Amino acid sequence: MYIRKHILNIPFRCYSSESRINSFIKSKLMSAEDVAQKFPEQITIGASGFTPAGYPKVIPSAFAQRIKNSKNPENFSINLYTGASTGDELDGVLARTGRMKLRIPYQSHPDLRKLINEGKLNFIDMHLSHVGRYIREGIFPPIDVAVIEACDVTPDGRIYLTNSSGMSGTYLSLAKDIYIELNQAHPLEMKGLHDIYLPELHTGRPINIDYVDDRIGTPYVRVNPERIKGIVLTDKFDSSKGFKQPDDASFKIANNILDFILHEVEYGRIPKKLLPFQSGVGNVANAVLACIARDKRFNSIEMYTEVIQDSIFDLLDSDKLRFASTTALTFSAQGQIRFFKEINELKSKFILRPMEISNNPEVIRRMGLITMNTALEADIYGNVNSTHVLGSSMMNGIGGSGDFTRNAYISIFMAPSIAKGGKISAFVPMVSHVDHNEHSVQVMVSEQGLADLRAKTPKQRAKLIIDKCVHPMYKDQLNDYFQHAQRVSFAQHTPHDLKQALSWHVRLQETGSMHPDHQQSQQPTSKDTEKAAKKMDETVPNKK
């Protein structure tokens, strides 16, 4: 399956050796402050950036300063569309103006999260594969201005993106005006990494990607150069701090997953050369890749995912990464330096695709992916909550986890069984919010073990999850609930006691712990939910 020719071959060194500041760029140069002055007060911005990579870093700050200096800041209103989460230089500075009115489709910034959960900012949490169509069909307000980070712009309107593709192609095609942040921190060797192709609407034509390294588009986005109203020079890295090193629980989860995959290979349900992997972000996802790099039972893997992190270097160092397709390279500063240093060699192993392709259900289903995503909590029947604390407080968003889970060959959800020293169980009688239902969740994993939920009835699922995944300090309680539910439920297919199903969440809100031994004699206050959400925010890694 690995010996093929690309549909479209792109030379690895397809950049100019001359200075990137050509005559066209010189004619368009502006300061960030000058660009900000041209923005309308009521504005919808389509910005580059994905979790958080390749986002504009100086124009948003200048616009925020303009709002701050205005005699009538209340006249300003901002709708912000991106690919996913971005850095403080975009999400943070605009959130702190207090004038952001709509944010889509994903976020992870604490200032944004605070506004969302205070009801001061409209946030639409949605599957990333739906974003492009909603915007292209006019379901969302039209884009006034596209602000896109690039490493090069040519006189004929070719825009070469940096560390992410995300929604940039769509925003560039639809925006009335285009402003470019030309980031000279990115070498011209970035040219050739991207494969830009936007699917047509309503044609039914297939997206001709069968393998992770297939190319069907161009290494740039092409626009009418007259629509490019200004170019601002920058030289800043993305502000991603990376993720914490995986802990012992993360490595145990990773090893449980790898043992399961090899079991499936043994039974012939996964080919010996394996299937492509999709992996979410965070400690557990990093642990999986680190374990593959160290495990002699794995020789070579492919990835078809939406975010690549520093953990990819473990696979590269062990010579186990054959190829990786993504929409963003989210590296720490050290990872970014290494990637640039080795870019001529690494370009043969990476493709960056638009979000409409990386998250496209058609392509994901055809590929036959093994998907691995993080759960905030799961219930005994296999329903997963990825987004809400205590059913009400938004964390980050569903991101692409639904796109991959619903179309996977094998969908895996993983979570440490407890958090906050045992005060919170990741496995509960009933989740307080559902993002992924039991029909999509095939495998559940914690450091305690792995539950294969395929071809199981709801009650069989419950027994497996309690037996394999739940922490010992909560196992008896969850067993007691399940037995009680079977006695009192009015039906036996999926037994629940609705009076008790969310009692663990109520206990957490009232006492700060789901465990009865941690109960405190206090009355719940209006700030209990906010405190619980803050505790979870400190515990749960960003997923997109």
Side-chain angles (χ1 to χ4, degrees), residues 307-476:
V307 180
I308 294 292
Q309 305 166 78
D310 281 20
S311 54
I312 201 72
F313 293 116
D314 293 328
L315 292 175
L316 290 167
D317 291 340
S318 62
D319 197 27
K320 290 187 177 182
L321 178 69
R322 200 201 74 80
F323 203 86
S325 171
T326 183
T327 195
L329 299 171
T330 302
F331 294 135
S332 65
Q334 295 79 6
Q336 189 71 83
I337 291 170
R338 175 176 173 179
F339 186 81
F340 287 162
K341 182 179 179 181
E342 302 175 11
I343 191 168
N344 286 321
E345 293 75 30
L346 296 181
K347 283 171 73 172
S348 64
K349 291 183 177 291
F350 292 91
I351 286 178
L352 275 72
R353 305 186 189 275
M355 195 168 81
E356 292 99 318
I357 303 300
S358 67
N359 290 61
N360 190 280
E362 172 199 337
V363 179
I364 294 168
R365 182 64 63 94
R366 183 185 302 128
M367 289 276 186
L369 301 187
I370 301 169
T371 67
M372 302 174 290
N373 290 284
T374 303
L376 185 64
E377 64 178 2
D379 66 27
I380 58 176
Y381 296 117
N383 299 291
V384 168
N385 171 15
S386 295
T387 59
H388 285 71
V389 174
L390 296 175
S392 299
S393 182
M394 169 58 67
M395 287 288 292
N396 304 325
I398 194 170
S401 59
D403 300 325
F404 288 100
T405 296
R406 294 183 302 165
N407 299 285
Y409 179 73
I410 296 178
S411 62
I412 300 171
F413 274 91
M414 47 201 183
S417 62
I418 57 172
K420 302 302 292 183
K423 294 181 179 181
I424 298 170
S425 172
F427 298 94
V428 294
M430 178 184 283
V431 289
S432 58
H433 174 88
V434 179
D435 292 297
H436 311 282
N437 64 45
E438 76 276 16
H439 306 295
S440 300
V441 179
Q442 299 178 25
V443 178
M444 193 75 69
V445 195
S446 78
E447 81 284 0
Q448 301 297 320
L450 180 145
D452 183 354
L453 306 177
R454 297 172 297 176
K456 298 294 188 295
T457 68
K459 287 192 284 189
Q460 289 171 336
R461 284 170 165 252
K463 291 176 182 178
L464 270 175
I465 289 173
I466 294 171
D467 180 52
K468 300 291 187 179
C469 300
V470 178
H471 194 278
M473 69 185 296
Y474 284 98
K475 186 169 291 189
D476 287 344

Side-chain angles (χ1 to χ4, degrees), residues 50-64:
F50 194 102
T51 313
Y55 57 91
K57 300 171 179 65
V58 296
I59 294 175
S61 295
F63 188 44

